[in-house]
Amino acid sequence: MATAGGGGGAASGGRRTCLLLCFVSLLAGLCQANSVERKIYIPLNRTAPCVRLLNATHQIGCQSSISGDTGVIHVVEEEEDLQWVLTDGPNPPYMVLLEGKLFNRKLMEKLKGTQRISGLAVALAKPSPVDGFSPSVECPNDGFGIYSNSYGSEYAHCKKLRWNPEGNGLAYEDFDFPIFLLEDENETQVIKQCYWDHNRGVNGSAPTYPLCAMQLFSHMHAVTSTVTCMRRSAIQSTFSINPVVCDPLADFNVWNTLNPLNASGKLEPGDKVIIAATRLDSRSFFWNVAPGAESAVASFITQLAVAEALQKAPDVAALPRNVMFVFFQGETFDYIGSSRMVYDMEKGKFPVQLENIHSFVELGQVALRNSSDLWMHTDPMSQRDESIYTEVQNLLTILRNSSVGVPNVTMKEANSQNSLPPSSFQRFLRSQNISGVVLTDHPLAFSNRYYQSIYDTAENIGLKYPATLTPDEAMDFVTDIAKSLASVATVLGRALYQLAGGTNHTAVEADPVTVSRLLYGFLVKANNSWFQSVIRQDLKVFLGGGPLQHYIAVSSPINTTYVVQYVLANLTGTVVNLTREQCQDSKKAQDANKDLYEYAWVQGPEDPNGTGRLPQCVRSTARLAKAVSPAFELQQWGSSEYSTWTESRWKDIRARIFLVASRELEFVTLIVGLSILFVSLIVTYFINAKADILFTTPREPGAVSY
């Protein structure tokens, strides 16, 4: 009995030992998994994907398969190199590394029509393409401005004038393979080196395995259109199953007034306001890569300088009319911000109503002026009303007079028989005739050859600094473009001052140093000492490490919106003597009026003693207002009246390279692996079956059984 019991215990102990060994092996394998992955794959950390966007009728952009797309890398430096990818290469599908200068519609049409391509990695062209590059369309925001087949049909669809002749429409195409931008030259060089080492045959022969391959992950959840994805999101939210597949493009407009007004009330019909407007956003073919130097940044920088100059005017509080500065968000996508503000004005959800608008002055693209000309564009349709025509002519006269004595600015009127360029002003004219003007650097088509592209950078507008300057010195260095934009700001500031009823307009002067700081902050390095001082401590992460990007996105407010709001507060507001608690909760302060002002506890300037910063409370009229298309509030996802743009959700965005073996070797490896697995299972079975024999403890000498 004792002997039998001892044998059973030994067998059970053997099984436990076997299971323990298996568990330890599994744990060790899991611990080494990451290490093995690092040895196999080289991750590409500085990339930007093309993602899927949707509107009421279409989907645009790119995506990979759900498990990512893989292909053998082939470098295309000249168009002739495509021959290998499209016909000659023996190892399709290929992942093309494309030189930026070749990224154009003609070449993309060739790649779009073949199954031999699994994806595309685009290297930044340096210098920028000399012939220009704009992935936008020739007629931006077509169908959502004032001109249509039923109103101003002769101007609809850019019949008379194509505003963006460089536009190739690539950003509005749908691609069924992933496309990534390589933002880091070092990573691009690593990929090319891998290609040269493994993927180039000798004397024209096919390369031998192993080959260098790339894998791109960018699978999108939404398909077809905004109508489809929003309906699916609504249905799935009801059952709490993977609730959302796409999100509306949304953010906030930034606005403030020269003199405070009650933000919770409404102006009386007789109170008049002059609106000075510009846009905050831009885009490119790639997600969240939107430098927008000419298409957006130069304009809103100029308007910030105007706001500061006007606030410093000596008699600003006594002006009979108020001035409202508005920075619209989402204008790239069918006027999201301006259409929402007009909607709120019509519904009584905004303190200023349409009837309160005296006149409208908008800054378009103004950084690329040839010589000193600044062009004034007006709407030919609304001026058929004689009273509007008279008001517009008065506005043009004021602008001309305001430029007298200002260096390097000559106001000129664009052809009055041409339409307005794409502008937020058009959304206001859709609802009501208003006297207004759009100021630009172009009399006809855009001067900007990189409109809404990755190349619309500081270099595009000629922003350069001496190499010997420190960051703080560069920030205050007054460049030629800073002088130019300051002159534009002075002209606009003086015109707004006169429109508001002021008489001493020569007292308004924009500061070139302010413009210089803004250019440096928004186009070179946002995380600088000045921007740090004007923003809240919990928001300093929004400054990032380089220049800000100006894509509207779906998580709001975005970096640009926050920074513009706080810079505007700094330039136009007042430092007040409130504690942190009083500043963050104005109800605790006796003299604070939350309806008239916004209060912000900001980091403040650096302490001269070097002990950190001196935080302070800034009181201003700088506020945020929703920039969400009314289509989503009304649940009219198929609307042709309002913007319906959404962005697809995704699970994983990443890219990596690795060496891939031949199909034959992979097959042999699979067979060998399966064989080892089956042999292991058989051996394990027999060991387990004979465990009582194999793991029996031998009887000790002299042991006696009873």
Side-chain angles (χ1 to χ4, degrees), residues 228-487:
T228 300
C229 79
M230 291 299 290
R231 184 176 65 243
R232 288 180 179 175
S233 295
I235 294 173
Q236 292 175 184
S237 295
T238 304
F239 298 99
S240 299
I241 304 172
N242 191 24
V244 180
V245 295
C246 69
D247 300 281
L249 294 181
D251 198 64
F252 289 87
N253 298 322
V254 181
W255 67 282
N256 87 321
T257 53
L258 192 58
N259 291 309
L261 55 80
N262 190 337
S264 62
K266 297 181 181 64
L267 292 182
E268 295 297 325
D271 296 333
K272 295 299 179 182
V273 174
I274 296 97
I275 291 183
T278 190
R279 67 172 57 188
L280 284 178
D281 66 305
S282 184
R283 69 165 300 199
S284 75
F285 186 88
F286 300 98
W287 182 75
N288 204 30
V289 181
E294 159 73 342
S295 59
V297 178
S299 306
F300 71 67
I301 280 176
T302 304
Q303 182 153 298
L304 286 168
V306 174
E308 179 193 40
L310 264 184
Q311 200 69 50
K312 291 179 178 179
D315 58 345
V316 65
L319 294 176
R321 302 187 190 99
N322 210 341
V323 179
M324 182 171 80
F325 295 95
V326 187
F327 301 80
F328 288 117
Q329 187 61 272
E331 298 302 272
T332 299
F333 294 96
D334 299 336
Y335 305 120
I336 292 174
S338 55
S339 63
R340 179 53 185 254
M341 181 165 283
V342 171
Y343 175 82
D344 287 344
M345 286 180 172
E346 291 175 332
K347 301 298 181 184
K349 298 179 179 180
F350 194 77
V352 178
Q353 311 297 298
L354 288 172
E355 62 186 11
N356 297 124
I357 300 175
H358 173 272
S359 51
F360 197 108
V361 183
E362 180 171 353
L363 279 173
Q365 301 180 86
V366 294
L368 295 177
R369 289 185 295 132
N370 294 321
S371 66
S372 62
D373 297 340
L374 186 64
W375 296 90
M376 302 179 289
H377 299 261
T378 57
D379 170 46
M381 296 298 297
S382 59
Q383 290 188 82
R384 293 177 182 179
D385 181 325
E386 189 173 340
S387 63
I388 295 295
Y389 173 81
T390 302
E391 292 173 6
V392 169
Q393 293 307 308
N394 179 57
L395 176 55
L396 297 179
T397 300
I398 289 175
L399 282 163
R400 290 191 192 95
N401 293 339
S402 299
S403 66
V404 175
V406 179
N408 303 318
V409 179
T410 303
M411 303 302 299
K412 290 189 175 181
E413 184 178 357
N415 189 338
S416 60
Q417 296 306 308
N418 285 335
S419 64
L420 283 170
S423 52
S424 307
F425 183 36
Q426 292 198 34
R427 288 303 301 195
F428 285 79
L429 288 173
R430 268 178 92 116
S431 296
Q432 180 175 302
N433 280 347
I434 300 170
S435 63
V437 62
V438 178
L439 305 179
T440 73
D441 56 20
H442 52 87
L444 297 170
F446 296 163
S447 301
N448 186 6
R449 295 180 302 128
Y450 304 107
Y451 180 71
Q452 292 181 3
S453 86
I454 54 179
Y455 303 111
D456 190 8
T457 58
E459 290 77 11
N460 183 34
I461 62 173
L463 181 62
K464 298 178 181 178
Y465 299 96
T468 56
L469 298 181
T470 66
D472 283 347
E473 290 171 342
M475 183 171 62
D476 290 334
F477 182 78
V478 180
T479 59
D480 289 341
I481 185 63
K483 295 175 184 176
S484 174
L485 294 179
S487 294

Side-chain angles (χ1 to χ4, degrees), residues 9-85:
S12 125
R15 292 190 185 98
R16 286 195 298 270
T17 302
C18 186
L19 289 172
L20 181 61
L21 289 172
C22 289
F23 175 75
V24 171
S25 299
L26 178 61
L27 186 62
L30 290 174
C31 292
Q32 293 177 5
N34 288 335
S35 175
V36 172
E37 182 177 1
R38 285 195 296 269
K39 291 178 180 178
I40 296 175
Y41 299 104
I42 299 177
L44 304 175
N45 300 316
R46 293 286 309 281
T47 62
C50 160
V51 303
R52 175 166 290 166
L53 302 175
L54 309 98
N55 65 10
T57 56
H58 292 81
Q59 65 179 32
I60 62 173
C62 323
Q63 77 155 352
S64 73
S65 62
I66 194 167
S67 57
D69 288 328
T70 304
V72 174
I73 296 172
H74 189 76
V75 176
V76 175
E77 296 178 326
E78 302 294 339
E79 195 166 344
E80 294 75 24
D81 297 336
L82 275 180
Q83 183 73 20
W84 181 267
V85 172

